[in-house]
Each structure stands twice: as C-alpha cells, then as structure tokens.
C-alpha cells in the first residue's frame, strides 16, 4: 500500500512536468507578473526528481519513467550558481537548459500512465505562499 502522500506527490510531479514541458510562451504566461526565483524552481524540481525514486519503488511511477526524471535532474545539476540566480522568467528566455529539459519532461508525461494532459500547477499566491 502506498503512503497517503504518494498520490499528492505524484500529482504535483505530473503538474510540474507539465509546466516544464510547456512552450516558453506558456510558461511565461503561467508566471504572469510573479517573480519566481530560478534557484527555487531548480530546487523544487530536483526534490521532485529525488522523491520520484521512492514513488517508483512504491508503484506510483513505472521504473522506466524515471529515466526522464533522472535526465532532468542531471541537467538541473549542471546549472551553476550564476544560472540559478535571478528570475525564472529571465532564465527561460536566456538559458538553453530550460529548452533541453522540455523534451524529457514531455517524454515523461507521454510514458507515464494516466492522463498525459496535466493542467499546469496552480500559481503560488505570493502573499500567502499557498497554492
């Protein structure tokens, strides 16, 4: 049996991958006027990639789905401190890493059982920090 939080983590991973898989214009529209740090996005995705290993062990993801998450994690690990500084909206337009991450994120969504048409994650309310 999967722990109760697995379904939530699986959904959050799928939604974040949907955001990473989206075209730059869609990502920027999702961001709107929010000022989201690139470093925060990198940390969140790295965490989801690590947590997905355990999710796969418990059956929430197929082991073969992890190939793309690992590729995303490796690419993110290659983003240096300079690339993690500043706003994600700026990095989306200038850092080729985000375009490179799009392909494995799309492949992950296509190979993961369930609805591959995940909605984008709800934006974080910058005043309360909640979703």
């Amino acid at each position: 049996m999967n722990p109760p939080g697995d379904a939530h983590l699986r959904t959050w991973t799928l939604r974040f991958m949907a955001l990473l898989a989206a075209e730059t214009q869609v990502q920027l529209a999702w961001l709107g006027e929010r000022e989201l740090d690139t470093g925060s996005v990198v940390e969140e995705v790295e965490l989801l990639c690590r947590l997905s290993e355990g999710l796969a062990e418990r059956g929430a993801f197929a082991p073969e789905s992890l190939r793309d998450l690992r590729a995303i994690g490796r690419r993110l690990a290659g983003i240096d401190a300079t690339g993690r500084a500043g706003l994600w909206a700026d990095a989306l337009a200038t850092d080729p890493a985000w375009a490179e991450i799009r392909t494995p994120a799309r492949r992950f969504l296509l190979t993961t059982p369930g609805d591959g048409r995940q909605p984008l994650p709800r934006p974080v309310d910058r005043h309360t920090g909640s979703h």
Side-chain angles (χ1 to χ4, degrees):
M1 175 181 289
N2 294 346
D6 282 3
H8 173 74
L9 288 171
R10 183 181 194 283
T11 298
W12 183 240
T13 301
L14 289 169
R15 287 184 177 170
F16 220 111
M17 290 302 123
L19 178 59
L20 294 176
E23 292 296 331
T24 303
Q25 298 82 358
V26 174
Q27 293 168 328
L28 292 171
W30 178 84
L31 279 168
E33 304 221 2
R34 288 182 259 348
E35 296 182 349
L36 193 57
D37 281 352
T38 303
S40 296
V41 174
V42 170
E43 290 173 11
E44 183 81 17
V45 177
E46 286 177 328
L47 176 63
L48 289 172
C49 289
R50 285 191 307 273
L51 292 173
S52 293
E53 296 282 339
L55 291 173
E57 290 172 7
R58 294 187 296 277
F61 288 124
E64 56 272 10
S65 297
L66 294 178
R67 180 187 77 240
D68 294 310
L69 291 176
R70 288 179 184 134
I72 291 167
R74 283 190 303 275
R75 185 60 188 100
L76 289 172
I79 298 175
D80 63 15
T82 303
R84 292 175 186 232
L87 298 177
W88 192 41
D90 296 335
L92 284 171
T94 60
D95 189 339
W98 298 105
E100 294 166 12
I101 287 168
R102 190 170 291 119
T103 299
R106 288 178 177 170
R107 206 172 32 236
F108 172 79
L109 291 171
L110 291 172
T111 61
T112 299
D115 185 1
R117 298 167 297 167
Q118 291 294 319
L120 296 180
R122 289 185 308 236
V124 173
D125 182 311
R126 71 176 133 169
H127 298 293
T128 65
S130 65
H131 299 278

